[in-house]
Amino acid sequence: MSPRKPSTQELTKEMIIHEAHKQFIAKDFHHVSMRSIAKELGCSHGAIYYHFKNKAEIFYAILGEYFSELNTTLENTVNGPEDSSTKLKNIFVGYMAFGLNNQSQYELMFMVRDNEIDGLSQEAANLSYEKFAQSVQALSETTLLLSDIHSTFIALHGFVAHYRHYVKNYEEAKEAVDVHARFLIKALIKVEL
């Protein structure tokens, strides 16, 4: 006897997102389909279309959760009790820790490129970057050039990209993360060219 398929009313967005998330991490975006998600959920692909109009919309819902988590980390750091220079270092450490602790998610957020999803994912990435840039500027003792903030962001991204798949999480690279964060702060302080 085959398992009973959930009806459209029983199938939830959360169930779809959970299954799609597993598949996006295990396979390339192009190798995941509405049918493959439906097959694993034991429902028709039409039932998924009741909740999402396409695969890109599901992907974007997943990314939204990740960006929300990263943005919350930034907000908590900026609103913390530490002094500005400690907060700035904690923003850099927090960004790298997020990337190393969530490597598969980080890849989906910042490294997957596809015409079908770039518009949606770039919008969320740009909003997250703006929050990062505003936080860095607010914590800096001097006015920074936008290009300096962007270069700092790229240096953080490069660090995560370099260490992903070489370490399992932040704890395994904690010392290197701390050194890199201190280096970036020194670079920003001396940036008056």
Side-chain angles (χ1 to χ4, degrees), residues 140-145 148 186-193:
S140 177
E141 294 176 8
T142 61
T143 302
L144 299 171
L145 296 173
D148 295 331
K186 287 179 195 174
L188 280 177
I189 290 170
K190 295 178 183 178
V191 90
E192 300 173 32
L193 296 176

Side-chain angles (χ1 to χ4, degrees), residues 21 23-29 59 62-63 66-67 70 95-114 117-118 121-122 125 157-168:
H21 177 239
Q23 290 190 31
F24 286 133
I25 287 175
K27 308 179 227 178
D28 180 72
F29 177 80
F59 187 81
I62 293 167
L63 287 185
Y66 300 152
F67 280 111
L70 180 58
Y95 181 89
M96 291 182 282
F98 175 86
L100 295 175
N101 286 335
N102 302 285
Q103 294 179 33
S104 296
Q105 293 88 331
Y106 187 88
E107 288 178 26
L108 294 174
M109 293 166 72
F110 293 105
M111 298 175 157
V112 171
R113 293 290 174 250
D114 183 273
I117 56 172
D118 274 353
S121 62
Q122 279 307 114
H157 173 68
F159 183 94
V160 173
H162 175 75
Y163 277 92
R164 80 185 203 292
H165 304 303
Y166 289 107
V167 297
K168 291 180 185 171

Side-chain angles (χ1 to χ4, degrees), residues 80-152:
E82 297 89 4
D83 61 71
S84 291
S85 63
T86 302
K87 287 180 183 181
L88 190 58
K89 180 181 177 232
N90 289 344
I91 283 177
F92 297 165
V93 169
Y95 181 89
M96 291 182 282
F98 175 86
L100 295 175
N101 286 335
N102 302 285
Q103 294 179 33
S104 296
Q105 293 88 331
Y106 187 88
E107 288 178 26
L108 294 174
M109 293 166 72
F110 293 105
M111 298 175 157
V112 171
R113 293 290 174 250
D114 183 273
N115 290 337
E116 192 175 351
I117 56 172
D118 274 353
L120 296 173
S121 62
Q122 279 307 114
E123 180 183 336
N126 289 341
L127 290 173
S128 187
Y129 171 74
E130 285 176 29
K131 183 175 282 295
F132 169 85
Q134 290 167 356
S135 300
V136 169
Q137 185 60 70
L139 296 173
S140 177
E141 294 176 8
T142 61
T143 302
L144 299 171
L145 296 173
L146 291 177
S147 59
D148 295 331
I149 295 171
H150 187 257
S151 293
T152 302

Side-chain angles (χ1 to χ4, degrees), residues 173-193:
K174 189 174 184 176
E175 188 176 324
V177 166
D178 189 63
V179 168
H180 194 59
R182 283 187 280 126
F183 171 79
L184 292 174
I185 290 170
K186 287 179 195 174
L188 280 177
I189 290 170
K190 295 178 183 178
V191 90
E192 300 173 32
L193 296 176

